[in-house]
Amino acid sequence: MQSKGSRNVAVVRSPISALMLCTIAAMASFYVAGRLWQDAETRVYLGKELDRITGQGKSAISVDDTLKIIGCREQQKKLTALEMELAAARQEGFVSNHLSTTKNAPKKRPLVVIGVLTSFGRKNNREVIRKAWMSSGDALKKMEDQKGVIARFVIGRSANRGDSLDRGIDIEDKNYNDFFILESHVESPEELPKKTKLFFAHAAERWEAEYYAKVNDDVYVNIDALGSTLAAHIDKPRVYIGCMKSGEVFSEEGQKWYEPDWWKFGDGKTYFRHASGEMFVISKALARFVSINRAILRTYAFDDVSTGSWFIGLDVKHIDDKKFCCASWSTGGICAGA
């Protein structure tokens, strides 16, 4: 009887257990489905927020693309800055007018602008130079057009502006049209270094040539030899050409070659290497450098020393050419003193 009772109890409990299992399974299904639905809503919300933050639904970009965009923006900033600098340079006169937009064909760049530094009371010297090598009138214009050589007498103004000295130069210039007058410079032997600086500065602004040469008004120039020599260095961007020399710095006041700033040249009292003052040439890049920095370029007692000092700290090719030693004519020589 016990065994029968046991079998009856087992039959009675089986339906109850199945019902409980089904109930638990249903509840578990509802729970899992709810979590999945909640997670799906969360993902949709987060996706919308991500789109809103990163670009209104646009796809995200890679790190490489981001770096490229940053690089482009930096280049754009640099280009804008350069355009502003160029506009400012044009306003200051540091850029030649022919670089502006124009429909006319660009003119051939002159080879060299020669500034013959002269002064009041030196008319006879100027007449000799016109007859010897510089020419005048149509011949002067022909030298400019065919050889690319522009030559002008360089002079400042009288301390008494408008006096007979100034009027004499104005009349001579009207007759020959071969002067380059530095209106802001007052003629004085002690101011020759500043005059040389102003010549390079203003000449670079007025003419865009390959070279600029300074010559004394008692020096004869072989134009053909000069042209051949300069053409040989046309591929060098920054050149300083002349008869290079050095020499003693005189520190005693009253001496002929006294240098007020003698102490700056050291205990040896010797000048650095520089081109002799009778004639020397600088390239266009150096002339522009002088033009832009003229207000802060130091001058010494002599124009050749002053010019040499401007280029000591620059990446400049110093060319020591004995053909520029003007002591006397020699075979292939470029200049000679009177």
Side-chain angles (χ1 to χ4, degrees):
M1 291 182 63
Q2 291 179 350
S3 58
K4 291 182 181 179
S6 300
R7 287 194 294 271
N8 291 336
V9 171
V11 171
V12 172
R13 291 179 178 176
S14 179
I16 297 174
S17 299
L19 178 61
M20 291 181 66
L21 290 174
C22 290
T23 301
I24 293 171
M27 293 176 64
S29 299
F30 288 134
Y31 175 80
V32 171
R35 289 299 302 270
L36 291 175
W37 179 263
Q38 184 178 8
D39 289 345
E41 288 183 331
T42 301
R43 285 196 297 271
V44 171
Y45 172 79
L46 292 177
K48 291 181 178 179
E49 286 297 303
L50 181 62
D51 289 342
R52 181 180 65 81
I53 295 173
T54 59
Q56 301 298 329
K58 297 180 182 178
S59 60
I61 60 175
S62 66
V63 175
D64 289 340
D65 290 337
T66 302
L67 293 176
K68 290 178 182 179
I69 292 174
I70 293 174
C72 290
R73 289 174 179 172
E74 290 298 324
Q75 293 298 325
Q76 182 64 36
K77 291 179 181 178
K78 292 179 181 179
L79 179 59
T80 302
L82 289 174
E83 289 175 345
M84 293 175 65
E85 291 179 6
L86 180 60
R90 284 198 176 100
Q91 292 179 355
E92 294 294 330
F94 297 148
V95 180
S96 175
N97 291 333
H98 93 278
L99 293 178
S100 302
T101 304
T102 176
K103 295 182 179 180
N104 297 328
K107 295 177 63 176
K108 184 178 179 181
R109 178 179 295 172
L111 176 63
V112 59
V113 175
I114 303 175
V116 183
L117 270 64
T118 188
S119 58
F120 301 121
R122 305 278 288 182
K123 185 175 180 179
N124 290 339
N125 289 58
R126 294 191 289 272
E127 291 291 354
V128 170
I129 286 178
R130 290 186 181 104
K131 294 177 181 178
W133 64 269
M134 186 170 153
S135 303
S136 60
D138 293 339
L140 181 64
K141 187 66 168 58
K142 183 178 179 180
M143 184 172 69
E144 295 177 9
D145 295 339
Q146 296 186 359
K147 298 184 178 181
V149 177
I150 298 173
R152 295 290 188 273
F153 290 110
V154 181
I155 195 168
R157 286 300 190 181
S158 170
N160 301 312
R161 183 175 288 267
D163 62 6
S164 60
L165 296 176
D166 278 349
R167 291 196 298 272
I169 293 298
D170 291 337
I171 293 172
E172 190 176 345
D173 186 33
K174 185 177 180 180
N175 293 334
Y176 293 100
N177 194 28
D178 58 3
F179 276 88
F180 187 34
I181 300 176
L182 304 174
E183 296 290 347
S184 63
H185 178 72
V186 177
E187 277 296 317
S188 172
E190 296 78 17
E191 298 297 329
L192 180 58
K194 293 182 180 179
K195 181 178 179 179
T196 300
K197 179 172 65 173
L198 288 176
F199 159 65
F200 285 131
H202 290 299
E205 294 172 1
R206 179 167 176 178
W207 297 284
E208 188 177 4
E210 298 291 346
Y211 300 97
Y212 300 82
K214 177 262 176 179
V215 181
N216 287 344
D217 67 356
D218 57 357
V219 170
Y220 301 145
V221 178
N222 184 334
I223 295 298
D224 292 333
L226 175 64
S228 299
T229 299
L230 296 182
H233 300 295
I234 202 75
D235 60 328
K236 302 178 182 68
R238 295 171 299 279
V239 294
Y240 172 39
I241 312 172
C243 180
M244 298 294 169
K245 66 174 186 176
S246 183
E248 181 182 356
V249 178
F250 292 94
S251 59
E252 296 182 12
E253 190 171 358
Q255 291 178 313
K256 181 179 180 181
W257 305 110
Y258 171 63
E259 173 60 70
D261 288 319
W262 58 267
W263 60 275
K264 293 183 179 179
F265 297 92
D267 297 334
K269 295 182 181 179
T270 301
Y271 286 118
F272 43 77
R273 301 288 286 181
H274 59 277
S276 181
E278 289 84 4
M279 180 178 185
F280 54 82
V281 180
I282 64 175
S283 60
K284 62 178 180 291
L286 299 185
R288 290 174 182 171
F289 170 80
V290 174
S291 177
I292 294 171
N293 298 283
R294 57 191 153 187
I296 60 174
L297 290 178
R298 180 74 168 81
T299 55
Y300 294 94
F302 309 105
D303 68 326
D304 52 358
V305 174
S306 299
T307 303
S309 72
W310 303 333
F311 308 138
I312 286 181
L314 303 182
D315 183 13
V316 174
K317 178 69 174 179
H318 287 59
I319 299 176
D320 183 11
D321 192 333
K322 300 306 178 184
K323 294 192 295 293
F324 284 87
C325 298
C326 305
S328 60
W329 283 112
S330 59
T331 303
I334 291 175
C335 62

